[in-house]
Short mmCIF file of all heavy atoms in Angstrom, two decimals:
data_model
loop_
_atom_site.label_atom_id
_atom_site.label_comp_id
_atom_site.label_asym_id
_atom_site.label_seq_id
_atom_site.Cartn_x
_atom_site.Cartn_y
_atom_site.Cartn_z
N ARG B 24 72.93 98.96 101.68
CA ARG B 24 73.07 100.34 101.38
C ARG B 24 72.24 101.18 102.32
O ARG B 24 71.13 100.75 102.76
CB ARG B 24 72.59 100.59 99.89
CG ARG B 24 73.51 99.97 98.85
CD ARG B 24 73.03 100.29 97.42
NE ARG B 24 73.16 101.72 97.16
CZ ARG B 24 74.21 102.44 96.88
NH1 ARG B 24 75.35 101.86 96.73
NH2 ARG B 24 74.12 103.73 96.52
N VAL B 25 72.74 102.34 102.67
CA VAL B 25 72.16 103.23 103.69
C VAL B 25 71.50 104.38 102.95
O VAL B 25 72.17 105.02 102.12
CB VAL B 25 73.15 103.70 104.66
CG1 VAL B 25 72.66 104.73 105.59
CG2 VAL B 25 73.68 102.42 105.50
N ALA B 26 70.36 104.70 103.30
CA ALA B 26 69.56 105.78 102.67
C ALA B 26 69.70 107.15 103.45
O ALA B 26 69.87 107.17 104.64
CB ALA B 26 68.09 105.43 102.47
N SER B 27 69.75 108.23 102.71
CA SER B 27 69.65 109.54 103.34
C SER B 27 68.16 109.72 103.78
O SER B 27 67.24 109.55 103.04
CB SER B 27 70.01 110.61 102.36
OG SER B 27 69.71 111.89 102.86
N CYS B 28 67.98 110.01 105.04
CA CYS B 28 66.57 110.10 105.58
C CYS B 28 66.67 110.86 106.94
O CYS B 28 67.61 110.97 107.59
CB CYS B 28 66.01 108.78 105.68
SG CYS B 28 66.90 107.61 106.83
N SER B 29 65.39 111.26 107.28
CA SER B 29 65.16 111.88 108.58
C SER B 29 63.88 111.20 109.10
O SER B 29 62.88 111.03 108.39
CB SER B 29 65.01 113.39 108.67
OG SER B 29 66.21 114.02 108.31
N GLY B 30 63.83 110.85 110.42
CA GLY B 30 62.65 110.26 111.02
C GLY B 30 62.89 109.79 112.37
O GLY B 30 63.71 110.32 113.10
N TRP B 31 62.06 108.80 112.73
CA TRP B 31 62.13 108.25 114.15
C TRP B 31 62.40 106.77 113.99
O TRP B 31 61.96 106.08 113.10
CB TRP B 31 60.83 108.50 114.77
CG TRP B 31 60.56 109.90 115.07
CD1 TRP B 31 60.10 110.87 114.20
CD2 TRP B 31 60.74 110.65 116.31
NE1 TRP B 31 59.99 112.07 114.74
CE2 TRP B 31 60.39 112.03 116.04
CE3 TRP B 31 61.17 110.32 117.57
CZ2 TRP B 31 60.42 112.94 117.04
CZ3 TRP B 31 61.17 111.22 118.58
CH2 TRP B 31 60.87 112.54 118.29
N THR B 32 63.19 106.21 114.95
CA THR B 32 63.47 104.77 115.00
C THR B 32 63.15 104.19 116.35
O THR B 32 63.56 104.83 117.37
CB THR B 32 64.94 104.50 114.55
OG1 THR B 32 65.03 103.06 114.67
CG2 THR B 32 65.90 105.15 115.47
N ASP B 33 62.46 103.08 116.30
CA ASP B 33 62.23 102.29 117.61
C ASP B 33 62.86 100.87 117.44
O ASP B 33 62.38 100.03 117.97
CB ASP B 33 60.75 102.28 117.98
CG ASP B 33 59.91 101.63 116.91
OD1 ASP B 33 60.48 101.25 115.84
OD2 ASP B 33 58.68 101.44 117.15
N LEU B 34 63.90 100.86 116.57
CA LEU B 34 64.49 99.53 116.23
C LEU B 34 65.08 98.96 117.57
O LEU B 34 65.86 99.58 118.29
CB LEU B 34 65.65 99.75 115.27
CG LEU B 34 66.37 98.49 114.91
CD1 LEU B 34 65.52 97.53 114.17
CD2 LEU B 34 67.66 98.84 113.97
N TYR B 35 64.69 97.68 117.79
CA TYR B 35 65.08 96.94 118.99
C TYR B 35 65.91 95.82 118.51
O TYR B 35 65.35 94.87 117.87
CB TYR B 35 63.81 96.55 119.75
CG TYR B 35 64.02 95.75 121.07
CD1 TYR B 35 65.12 95.84 121.81
CD2 TYR B 35 62.97 94.96 121.51
CE1 TYR B 35 65.24 95.16 122.99
CE2 TYR B 35 63.09 94.26 122.65
CZ TYR B 35 64.29 94.37 123.45
OH TYR B 35 64.38 93.66 124.57
N VAL B 36 67.17 95.82 118.83
CA VAL B 36 68.15 94.83 118.36
C VAL B 36 68.42 93.74 119.35
O VAL B 36 69.04 94.11 120.41
CB VAL B 36 69.41 95.40 117.81
CG1 VAL B 36 70.31 94.33 117.29
CG2 VAL B 36 69.07 96.48 116.74
N LEU B 37 68.09 92.47 119.08
CA LEU B 37 68.21 91.38 120.03
C LEU B 37 69.09 90.32 119.25
O LEU B 37 69.14 90.29 118.04
CB LEU B 37 66.97 90.80 120.45
CG LEU B 37 66.11 91.55 121.41
CD1 LEU B 37 64.68 90.93 121.51
CD2 LEU B 37 66.67 91.64 122.78
N PRO B 38 69.72 89.38 120.06
CA PRO B 38 70.44 88.25 119.34
C PRO B 38 69.48 87.60 118.41
O PRO B 38 68.31 87.39 118.74
CB PRO B 38 70.88 87.43 120.52
CG PRO B 38 71.01 88.38 121.68
CD PRO B 38 69.98 89.43 121.50
N GLY B 39 70.02 87.31 117.21
CA GLY B 39 69.23 86.79 116.10
C GLY B 39 68.97 87.85 115.01
O GLY B 39 68.59 87.44 113.85
N TYR B 40 69.15 89.10 115.36
CA TYR B 40 69.05 90.13 114.32
C TYR B 40 70.17 90.04 113.30
O TYR B 40 71.32 89.73 113.63
CB TYR B 40 69.04 91.50 115.05
CG TYR B 40 69.11 92.69 114.05
CD1 TYR B 40 67.91 93.22 113.63
CD2 TYR B 40 70.21 93.26 113.55
CE1 TYR B 40 67.82 94.31 112.76
CE2 TYR B 40 70.20 94.30 112.68
CZ TYR B 40 68.95 94.86 112.30
OH TYR B 40 68.97 95.84 111.38
N ARG B 41 69.83 90.18 112.06
CA ARG B 41 70.76 90.06 110.98
C ARG B 41 71.23 91.58 110.59
O ARG B 41 70.39 92.36 110.09
CB ARG B 41 70.21 89.43 109.69
CG ARG B 41 71.25 89.22 108.61
CD ARG B 41 70.65 88.48 107.38
NE ARG B 41 69.71 89.35 106.68
CZ ARG B 41 70.03 90.27 105.79
NH1 ARG B 41 71.27 90.48 105.51
NH2 ARG B 41 69.05 90.96 105.20
N PHE B 42 72.46 91.88 110.91
CA PHE B 42 72.95 93.25 110.58
C PHE B 42 73.23 93.37 109.06
O PHE B 42 73.82 92.48 108.51
CB PHE B 42 74.24 93.50 111.39
CG PHE B 42 74.06 93.63 112.83
CD1 PHE B 42 73.92 92.51 113.66
CD2 PHE B 42 73.94 94.94 113.37
CE1 PHE B 42 73.64 92.74 115.03
CE2 PHE B 42 73.77 95.07 114.74
CZ PHE B 42 73.61 94.01 115.58
N ARG B 43 72.80 94.47 108.56
CA ARG B 43 72.86 94.65 107.17
C ARG B 43 73.93 95.68 106.71
O ARG B 43 74.41 95.52 105.58
CB ARG B 43 71.45 95.16 106.65
CG ARG B 43 70.36 94.17 106.85
CD ARG B 43 69.00 94.66 106.31
NE ARG B 43 68.49 95.81 107.09
CZ ARG B 43 67.23 96.29 107.04
NH1 ARG B 43 66.39 95.69 106.20
NH2 ARG B 43 66.90 97.33 107.70
N ALA B 44 74.30 96.62 107.53
CA ALA B 44 75.17 97.69 107.23
C ALA B 44 76.43 97.72 108.05
O ALA B 44 77.60 97.71 107.56
CB ALA B 44 74.49 99.05 107.30
N VAL B 45 76.24 97.59 109.42
CA VAL B 45 77.45 97.86 110.31
C VAL B 45 78.29 96.53 110.34
O VAL B 45 77.85 95.45 110.45
CB VAL B 45 76.89 98.11 111.74
CG1 VAL B 45 78.00 98.11 112.75
CG2 VAL B 45 76.06 99.41 111.73
N GLU B 46 79.61 96.81 110.28
CA GLU B 46 80.57 95.71 110.17
C GLU B 46 81.52 95.73 111.36
O GLU B 46 82.22 94.78 111.56
CB GLU B 46 81.40 95.81 108.89
CG GLU B 46 80.57 95.70 107.65
CD GLU B 46 81.14 96.13 106.40
OE1 GLU B 46 81.73 97.26 106.33
OE2 GLU B 46 81.14 95.38 105.36
N ALA B 47 81.58 96.81 112.11
CA ALA B 47 82.44 96.83 113.33
C ALA B 47 81.80 97.97 114.19
O ALA B 47 81.07 98.83 113.69
CB ALA B 47 83.90 97.13 113.03
N MET B 48 82.07 97.92 115.52
CA MET B 48 81.51 98.94 116.39
C MET B 48 82.38 99.30 117.50
O MET B 48 83.08 98.39 118.00
CB MET B 48 80.11 98.57 116.86
CG MET B 48 80.03 97.43 117.80
SD MET B 48 78.36 97.12 118.38
CE MET B 48 77.90 98.60 119.22
N VAL B 49 82.34 100.49 118.05
CA VAL B 49 82.91 100.99 119.23
C VAL B 49 81.87 101.22 120.23
O VAL B 49 80.80 101.86 119.84
CB VAL B 49 83.77 102.26 118.99
CG1 VAL B 49 84.34 102.74 120.34
CG2 VAL B 49 84.77 102.09 117.91
N THR B 50 82.02 100.68 121.43
CA THR B 50 80.97 100.84 122.47
C THR B 50 81.55 100.89 123.81
O THR B 50 82.67 100.52 124.00
CB THR B 50 79.98 99.74 122.31
OG1 THR B 50 78.83 99.92 123.18
CG2 THR B 50 80.56 98.35 122.62
N ASN B 51 80.84 101.38 124.78
CA ASN B 51 81.24 101.29 126.20
C ASN B 51 80.77 100.04 126.79
O ASN B 51 80.04 99.25 126.19
CB ASN B 51 80.67 102.53 126.94
CG ASN B 51 81.61 103.79 126.74
OD1 ASN B 51 82.33 103.88 125.80
ND2 ASN B 51 81.42 104.72 127.72
N PHE B 52 81.00 99.89 128.06
CA PHE B 52 80.46 98.73 128.86
C PHE B 52 79.26 99.24 129.48
O PHE B 52 79.20 100.12 130.32
CB PHE B 52 81.57 98.29 129.89
CG PHE B 52 82.77 97.68 129.28
CD1 PHE B 52 83.86 98.48 128.94
CD2 PHE B 52 82.75 96.34 128.97
CE1 PHE B 52 85.03 97.90 128.38
CE2 PHE B 52 83.93 95.76 128.36
CZ PHE B 52 85.00 96.51 128.06
N HIS B 53 78.11 98.48 129.24
CA HIS B 53 76.80 98.94 129.51
C HIS B 53 76.17 98.31 130.80
O HIS B 53 76.70 97.29 131.26
CB HIS B 53 75.88 98.63 128.38
CG HIS B 53 76.25 99.33 127.06
ND1 HIS B 53 76.32 100.69 126.90
CD2 HIS B 53 76.75 98.79 125.89
CE1 HIS B 53 76.80 100.97 125.66
NE2 HIS B 53 77.11 99.77 125.09
N LEU B 54 75.15 98.99 131.30
CA LEU B 54 74.42 98.40 132.43
C LEU B 54 73.88 97.10 132.11
O LEU B 54 73.39 96.82 130.94
CB LEU B 54 73.29 99.34 132.89
CG LEU B 54 73.61 100.58 133.82
CD1 LEU B 54 74.29 101.67 132.99
CD2 LEU B 54 72.43 101.09 134.46
N PRO B 55 73.75 96.18 133.09
CA PRO B 55 73.06 94.90 132.82
C PRO B 55 71.61 95.03 132.60
O PRO B 55 71.07 96.15 132.98
CB PRO B 55 73.36 94.13 134.08
CG PRO B 55 73.58 95.10 135.20
CD PRO B 55 74.26 96.23 134.39
N ARG B 56 71.02 94.10 131.97
CA ARG B 56 69.59 94.06 131.75
C ARG B 56 69.00 95.23 130.99
O ARG B 56 67.88 95.69 131.26
CB ARG B 56 68.86 93.91 133.12
CG ARG B 56 69.39 92.65 133.94
CD ARG B 56 69.00 92.76 135.39
NE ARG B 56 67.56 92.54 135.54
CZ ARG B 56 67.03 91.31 135.84
NH1 ARG B 56 67.77 90.22 135.91
NH2 ARG B 56 65.74 91.20 136.00
N THR B 57 69.81 95.78 130.07
CA THR B 57 69.36 96.92 129.25
C THR B 57 69.36 96.56 127.78
O THR B 57 70.09 95.53 127.37
CB THR B 57 70.26 98.12 129.46
OG1 THR B 57 71.64 97.83 129.13
CG2 THR B 57 70.21 98.66 130.85
N THR B 58 68.72 97.34 126.97
CA THR B 58 68.69 97.03 125.51
C THR B 58 70.06 97.31 124.91
O THR B 58 70.38 96.76 123.89
CB THR B 58 67.67 97.98 124.80
OG1 THR B 58 68.02 99.34 125.10
CG2 THR B 58 66.21 97.73 125.33
N LEU B 59 70.90 98.10 125.61
CA LEU B 59 72.27 98.37 125.12
C LEU B 59 73.15 97.08 125.08
O LEU B 59 73.79 96.74 124.02
CB LEU B 59 72.91 99.45 125.90
CG LEU B 59 72.21 100.71 126.02
CD1 LEU B 59 72.79 101.71 127.02
CD2 LEU B 59 72.10 101.40 124.62
N ILE B 60 73.17 96.38 126.20
CA ILE B 60 73.93 95.18 126.18
C ILE B 60 73.37 94.09 125.33
O ILE B 60 74.08 93.27 124.73
CB ILE B 60 74.17 94.67 127.64
CG1 ILE B 60 75.28 93.59 127.76
CG2 ILE B 60 72.85 94.15 128.28
CD1 ILE B 60 75.64 93.19 129.14
N MET B 61 71.97 94.13 125.10
CA MET B 61 71.41 93.25 124.15
C MET B 61 71.80 93.45 122.72
O MET B 61 72.07 92.49 122.00
CB MET B 61 69.84 93.28 124.36
CG MET B 61 69.43 92.85 125.69
SD MET B 61 67.60 93.19 125.81
CE MET B 61 67.41 92.86 127.63
N LEU B 62 71.92 94.70 122.37
CA LEU B 62 72.35 95.06 120.98
C LEU B 62 73.79 94.57 120.78
O LEU B 62 74.10 94.00 119.77
CB LEU B 62 72.22 96.56 120.77
CG LEU B 62 72.60 97.05 119.39
CD1 LEU B 62 71.81 98.35 119.08
CD2 LEU B 62 74.14 97.32 119.26
N VAL B 63 74.67 94.82 121.77
CA VAL B 63 76.09 94.36 121.62
C VAL B 63 76.14 92.84 121.52
O VAL B 63 76.91 92.31 120.75
CB VAL B 63 76.90 94.92 122.84
CG1 VAL B 63 78.35 94.36 122.74
CG2 VAL B 63 76.90 96.43 122.89
#
């Protein structure tokens, strides 16, 4: 469940992270060696 909120996030998603809410995603093709490709 997703809460209504405002704040700051420094969430860093790496392989091994257990996704709780997101079930599918749209994304671009990212630069190598970045946190973006790690999240994907």
Side-chain angles (χ1 to χ4, degrees):
R24 292 184 63 81
V25 172
S27 169
C28 58
S29 293
W31 295 78
T32 178
D33 59 359
L34 180 64
Y35 180 24
V36 180
L37 290 169
Y40 176 85
R41 186 178 69 82
F42 287 83
R43 298 181 293 193
V45 176
E46 296 165 312
M48 69 178 298
V49 179
T50 187
N51 278 20
F52 292 91
H53 302 293
L54 278 74
R56 304 164 73 92
T57 58
T58 61
L59 302 172
I60 194 170
M61 294 172 192
L62 183 152
V63 176

